[in-house]
Amino acid sequence: MGTTVRISERAKRVLEELAAREGKKIRELVDEAVELYRRRVFLEEVNRAFRSLREDPASWAAEEEERRVWEATLGDGLEEE
C-alpha cells in the first residue's frame, strides 16, 4: 500500500541521486532512513534515562548493586580452565 508524502524538491533530488548511486528504489531508501531515525530516537531516549539514573545517587547505587549481583552469575555452571 502506498502513501503520498510531500517532500521538498531538494529532498527529492537527493533521494533520486542516492537511489541511482546505490541501485535502490527511493522507497527502500526512505524505509532505511526511517529505521535509522527510529533507532537514533530510541538511543537518545535510553541515554536520557541513563543520565537521569546517574543523577540520582540512590537510584545509581541500586543500579550498581544489581550489576554486582548479576556479575556474580556470569560463571555459574562453567568449569574453570
Side-chain angles (χ1 to χ4, degrees), residues 39-72:
R39 290 178 184 198
R40 188 179 103 194
V41 168
F42 172 77
L43 290 175
E44 288 171 355
E45 290 171 353
V46 168
N47 286 333
R48 273 193 301 276
F50 191 77
R51 191 176 318 112
S52 176
L53 182 66
R54 294 255 345 198
E55 291 172 355
D56 178 0
S59 295
W60 186 247
E63 168 68 19
E64 288 183 317
E65 177 58 28
E66 184 173 343
R67 288 181 189 195
R68 279 190 286 281
V69 169
W70 280 105
E71 286 174 3

Side-chain angles (χ1 to χ4, degrees), residues 2-78:
T3 300
T4 300
V5 177
R6 295 189 187 276
I7 60 173
S8 68
E9 285 298 319
R10 179 186 173 280
K12 181 178 182 266
R13 280 192 310 275
V14 170
L15 284 169
E16 288 170 343
E17 290 170 13
L18 288 170
R21 185 181 318 152
E22 299 290 320
K24 295 181 178 181
K25 296 180 180 180
I26 290 177
R27 181 172 49 202
E28 292 174 294
L29 295 177
V30 171
D31 286 347
E32 290 174 16
V34 168
E35 176 60 15
L36 287 172
Y37 185 75
R38 184 195 66 78
R39 290 178 184 198
R40 188 179 103 194
V41 168
F42 172 77
L43 290 175
E44 288 171 355
E45 290 171 353
V46 168
N47 286 333
R48 273 193 301 276
F50 191 77
R51 191 176 318 112
S52 176
L53 182 66
R54 294 255 345 198
E55 291 172 355
D56 178 0
S59 295
W60 186 247
E63 168 68 19
E64 288 183 317
E65 177 58 28
E66 184 173 343
R67 288 181 189 195
R68 279 190 286 281
V69 169
W70 280 105
E71 286 174 3
T73 67
L74 290 176
D76 284 357
L78 299 177

